[in-house]
Amino acid sequence: MKTTSADTPEQVPPTVTQRPDLQWTPGKKVAGWTLRARLHLSPGSEVWAAAARGLPTVVIKRLAGALLPDEGARARFVDEVHISSLLSHPNLARLVSWDVEGPVPWLAFERLRGVPLTTLLTWCRASARPLPTHVCAWIAASAARGLQAAHEARDGDGRLAGVVHRDVCPDNLFLTTAGEVRVLDFGFATAKARMARTVTGQLRGRLAYSAPEQVTGGATDASADQFSLGAVLYECLVGTPLLAATDTEAFLARLTVDTAPLPRADAAAPRVSSALADAVARLVERRPEERFDTMLEAALALEPQAGEPSATRVQLAALVAPLVPIESNARERWWLLAAVAAA
């Protein structure tokens, strides 16, 4: 007997998020790596720990399933891969591999052991123990070195790529148990050859660390990263944000309308030397042309305040090590929070 449409359920093709071949689960092979555990899930991305014999241990960031059909989201993800592939420096997270041609675009970074600066600052506040000023200077100087390398990055034709991070914040500065500092997450970065165009006036990055020209929609260049780094350094030294406000409107007014000088670190925390406070003040000048000419110049101003490098590195490592979580089975857990932020 011939069946009618009422007798036979309609065969609806599976959505992208339902397709088994696009689902990632522990044990799945991705370019030679075996997925171990999902570390992070957001509306924009998934991040997985992965390992393989003979290959470096990595974290793999993939575009979230719901965004796979979204051409704009794919273009932004491809931009992140392209920008990350141009970068190579000891103070930048190292891109190991990637694939943007397959059904699920992904990129793999080296797996780092440590914590984001956010975790260390939270511990300092909770324990009422300020971060030593020379350690603060070391963190900022190291980040400045990495950002200088990003700003100087060139494309395959040897032309300046015009990379600007646009989201320098405590979440995106990673501190390793070796006392090293890595700048993470170029997901919001801009470059001359971006496929996805940023809408004029659209804010990218964390408001509390954004430069005035970012929040007003003006032209943004590498000097915007200086302001953000200065805001991070001020918070490290003083223990409170550069600008405190009761709401977003008040914050924006203080940042972009108020003509009063921004607070100095040595005024808020007398333990800060005038030389270090001068460097912070120049980083956070409201007018871009009054900041340092380059991040390298900023690093050179900060490094004399950072103490002897090997000793400061050891001290930072000692601060970070107890903050790395230990799993119940006594294996150390690996962190890579900012580099795995949503695409």
Side-chain angles (χ1 to χ4, degrees):
M1 182 178 69
K2 184 177 180 181
T3 59
T4 65
S5 59
D7 299 316
T8 305
E10 182 181 1
Q11 298 299 308
V12 180
T15 65
V16 168
T17 56
Q18 295 171 330
R19 284 176 51 185
D21 60 316
L22 302 184
Q23 302 301 306
W24 283 16
T25 55
K28 181 180 177 65
K29 296 284 188 180
V30 177
W33 285 282
T34 300
L35 300 181
R36 297 302 190 195
R38 189 167 63 187
L39 302 177
H40 177 85
L41 175 64
S42 76
S45 66
E46 296 179 23
V47 179
W48 290 77
R53 183 174 298 177
L55 292 175
T57 303
V58 297
V59 288
I60 300 180
K61 176 179 177 180
R62 59 157 286 177
L63 189 63
L67 294 181
L68 290 175
D70 185 327
E71 292 185 5
R74 275 183 170 268
R76 289 189 295 272
F77 197 91
V78 171
D79 284 334
E80 181 180 356
V81 173
H82 170 69
I83 291 171
S84 298
S85 71
L86 301 177
L87 308 179
S88 177
H89 190 271
N91 294 118
L92 299 175
R94 184 170 64 90
L95 183 64
V96 176
S97 185
W98 66 90
D99 178 9
V100 295
E101 302 296 334
V104 179
W106 57 267
L107 68 168
F109 284 97
E110 64 177 331
R111 200 173 183 183
L112 301 172
R113 181 169 172 250
V115 296
L117 176 57
T118 303
T119 300
L120 180 57
L121 293 179
T122 299
W123 176 84
C124 288
R125 285 190 287 266
S127 61
R129 294 178 61 180
L131 198 56
T133 60
H134 64 286
V135 173
C136 298
W138 167 259
I139 292 170
S142 300
R145 290 277 183 176
L147 288 165
Q148 176 67 23
H151 296 162
E152 291 180 335
R154 295 183 178 273
D155 62 21
D157 296 322
R159 296 171 298 195
L160 198 65
V163 175
V164 181
H165 189 286
R166 297 199 299 177
D167 195 20
V168 178
C169 64
D171 276 347
N172 287 339
L173 299 183
F174 195 86
L175 315 176
T176 76
T177 52
E180 300 168 342
V181 181
R182 306 289 181 94
V183 181
L184 309 177
D185 194 1
F186 282 76
F188 283 162
T190 186
K192 292 177 181 177
R194 280 186 69 96
M195 292 175 59
R197 309 316 307 179
T198 299
V199 178
T200 302
Q202 184 179 49
L203 176 64
R204 293 288 187 181
R206 323 296 165 97
L207 184 61
Y209 307 97
S210 295
E213 62 268 26
Q214 280 181 274
V215 302
T216 58
T220 301
D221 60 18
S223 66
D225 288 344
Q226 286 191 40
F227 187 98
S228 299
L229 182 61
V232 171
L233 177 53
Y234 180 95
E235 186 172 339
C236 289
L237 293 166
V238 176
T240 58
L242 174 65
L243 288 176
T246 55
D247 55 46
T248 300
E249 185 176 349
F251 173 86
L252 293 174
R254 288 201 65 192
L255 181 64
T256 63
V257 179
D258 194 348
T259 57
L262 292 171
R264 281 183 60 92
D266 53 352
R271 69 192 185 97
V272 179
S273 70
S274 59
L276 183 51
D278 286 345
V280 177
R282 189 163 178 191
L283 284 166
V284 298
E285 286 284 359
R286 284 190 174 92
R287 295 168 60 87
E289 61 270 21
E290 294 177 356
R291 300 170 197 154
F292 292 102
D293 289 339
T294 64
M295 272 293 190
L296 176 59
E297 186 181 347
L300 292 173
L302 292 167
E303 285 168 349
Q305 310 302 316
E308 199 281 318
S310 60
T312 303
R313 189 182 298 112
V314 168
Q315 188 171 0
L316 177 58
L319 288 167
V320 169
L323 303 178
V324 178
I326 304 298
E327 303 256 344
S328 59
N329 60 3
R331 289 182 304 172
E332 291 172 330
R333 183 181 176 188
W334 296 72
W335 290 60
L336 192 56
L337 299 185
V340 303

